[in-house]
Amino acid sequence: MSDIIRLLPDSVANQIAAGEVIQRPASVIKELVENAVDAGAKHIDVLVTDAGKTSIQVIDDGKGMSETDARLAFERHATSKIREAADLFALRTMGFRGEALASIAAVAQVELRTCQEGEDLGTSLCIAGSKVESQETVACPKGSNFQVKNLFFNVPARRKFLKSNQTELSNILTEFERIALVNPEVSFTLHHNGTEMLNLPAIQLKLRIMGVFGKKINQELLSVEVDTTMIRISGFVGRPETSRKKGARQYFFVNGRYMRHPYFHKAVMDAYEQLVPTGEQVSYFLYFEVDPANIDVNIHPTKTEIKFENEQAIWQILSAAIKESLGKFNAVPSIDFDTEGMPDIPAFEHSPYSGVQMPKTNYNPEYNPFDATPSPSSYSRQDTRGWDKLYEGLEQVASPSSFAFPDENDYWTEQPVESSMGTLYAQTEESNAVETSSQHYQYKGRFILTSVKSGLMVIDQQRAHIRILYDRYLTQIASRQGASQGMLFPDIVQFSASEIPVLESIMEDLSYLGFELTDLGGGSYAINGVPAGIEGLRPTELVQNMVHTALEKGCKVKEEVQSMLALSLAKAASIVTGQVLSNEEMNNLVDSLLTSSSPNYTPDGKTALVVLKEDEIEKLFK
């Protein structure tokens, strides 16, 4: 029998490894910018074309590489960070495994120009698909200049699965922001298709956060600082009143590296227990400094998941530090009633009004409103004799037998409502229908009960309203005739650089819904108009929630984006559970629901309407 196991060629092995490390253009920028930081760069420029699909260029002023190092840097597991296994437990640099450049070169066309300080000439190296195409000596400035073209040019299946330019650019900006937030001593610029999107000078940490997310965030943050023998924690957390359902800025960094850590996230949120509404989040920027020997950063290809040796102890330290900061924020200075040193205020003894007498009221103490005849006084009563004539003829009306309840069969007809669960029978009014408000009953501020010939219909009022509004908003988008209501005082909403591409991609659909936004520059937008009928809602939160929903969903098809926007706005504008409705409001809600194309379910598949059959109800009483 012949042997079937064989070694993979280096080019194939590199492509497989690249699938773990390089997932999208943002991954390339992450690896190249982190390498530049490791090289001691003080200024880094990133230039992107077509969201990184066509070209990515990273230029730094770091220490550069020699001719030999430039060639070896693209070999797998070639690194300057590790000499022996023990070095893994003393790492303070971003890259160390020597996989990044080899993985990038395996799936793209790469050109490197690098020069060391004090050298007159540098090295130019061109690689495509792991194959060196050229290497020569050139004149170039100190540092390194990486240009990555045609990402995944030799892996068409991977390139096909890249998202839209707006989504990929948003991912690039997200990675860029993470690196910029943890390296405030380094200046950064980011250009996309020749347009400058970020320009962050070297500055202190809080000002760097403001540079990334806008000046308004300065009013939301409280400082956190704790230093123990185990860990040092610094940074900022959001004030409780700035909590939001979506879009909170939440960042953990350990030893200069961004990380995700659900366990520590829960520690932060536990500190806000009973301070923020359930389901809402607060922003935080927390920086951990620990002994590298007490963490393991080598458990994930992208190094975003990190294992700590003493997680429970760090939990307690983190929670206590945040509670201390919140306690300082809530500390209200006591009112000082000490009047020592204050000037005496003389009593006001002489007044020009001192001779004025208090006015007196005259009244008749003998007046009795129940007397048959008025008593003589200066006050006369109106003649109320004959009042009983006002009620003549009402005895018959007040008799219980005089009320005739109409038979529901006189004005209700059955119309089938198709659903995946079968045919339900819903009510529709005929043209000669009488007032039907008495036929609806609201139960516990959530359900509307109404009778039908086949039984009892139960409607969830909030879900029914979501279905109604969703259909209305979709129609507005399709017809491009959304009714907008102008704002007397426009609201200002702030977006980070990573959110702006998503906002621009849905801006047209937002205008069809009725939102009117004006770009003020610097990530600020003025909301000049909002959809009619959303009184009482905060426009800034509505727009932010829709942008973050689009960011999370990553919808590429326009119809899906429109559906998502309509559903997001419908959920925000719908009546809430517990809202008491009048008979007329319930009537309008039921009528509008039953004219919907899918009255039985909400757009996200939740049941909005059910019918209890008459025979099922009768069985309950046997």
Side-chain angles (χ1 to χ4, degrees), residues 72-84:
L72 284 176
F74 289 94
E75 298 294 331
R76 289 191 67 195
H77 308 307
T79 177
S80 62
K81 318 294 177 57
I82 298 175
R83 291 292 181 268
E84 55 187 19

Side-chain angles (χ1 to χ4, degrees), residues 181 209 213 217 221 234-236 249 251 283-287:
L181 288 172
I209 295 174
F213 297 110
I217 200 170
L221 300 179
S234 60
F236 305 92
R249 328 288 189 183
Y251 294 89
S283 298
Y284 56 77
F285 304 85
L286 295 171
Y287 298 78

Side-chain angles (χ1 to χ4, degrees), residues 19 95 173 177 222 340 355 367 403 579:
L173 289 162
E177 289 168 357
L222 304 171
E340 183 178 353
Y367 171 71
F403 287 99
Q579 181 171 337

Side-chain angles (χ1 to χ4, degrees), residues 484-500:
S484 180
Q485 179 177 331
M487 299 183 65
L488 183 61
F489 300 102
D491 285 347
I492 306 299
V493 59
Q494 183 77 32
F495 293 100
S496 67
S498 60
E499 296 165 346
I500 292 176

Side-chain angles (χ1 to χ4, degrees), residues 462-610:
Q462 184 180 33
R463 293 180 181 180
H465 201 206
I466 290 174
R467 163 52 70 181
I468 295 167
L469 293 177
Y470 172 82
D471 291 344
R472 181 186 304 169
Y473 294 142
L474 267 188
T475 302
Q476 290 178 1
I477 294 176
S479 61
R480 304 185 177 186
Q481 295 178 351
S484 180
Q485 179 177 331
M487 299 183 65
L488 183 61
F489 300 102
D491 285 347
I492 306 299
V493 59
Q494 183 77 32
F495 293 100
S496 67
S498 60
E499 296 165 346
I500 292 176
V502 179
L503 173 64
E504 292 176 348
S505 68
I506 65 174
M507 185 74 79
E508 186 179 24
D509 293 328
L510 287 176
S511 66
Y512 297 154
L513 285 173
F515 288 99
E516 295 180 4
L517 275 70
T518 303
D519 188 357
L520 303 179
S524 297
Y525 288 79
I527 304 177
N528 300 310
V530 296
I534 62 167
E535 293 78 8
L537 301 177
R538 298 178 61 181
T540 55
E541 288 187 1
L542 283 178
V543 176
Q544 286 175 336
N545 288 343
M546 285 189 284
V547 169
H548 292 126
T549 301
L551 188 61
E552 293 170 3
K553 300 289 185 182
C555 297
K556 189 173 183 180
V557 182
K558 192 171 185 65
E559 290 74 13
E560 293 181 2
V561 175
Q562 294 173 350
S563 176
M564 176 271 299
L565 289 177
L567 179 58
S568 180
L569 184 57
K571 287 183 175 179
S574 64
I575 56 178
V576 297
T577 299
Q579 181 171 337
V580 179
L581 303 179
S582 66
N583 287 332
E584 183 180 0
E585 290 171 331
M586 286 189 284
N587 227 4
N588 292 335
L589 189 70
V590 173
D591 292 345
S592 299
L593 176 65
L594 296 180
T595 59
S596 171
S597 58
S598 301
N600 298 337
Y601 298 97
T602 62
D604 50 355
K606 297 180 180 178
T607 302
L609 175 155
V610 294

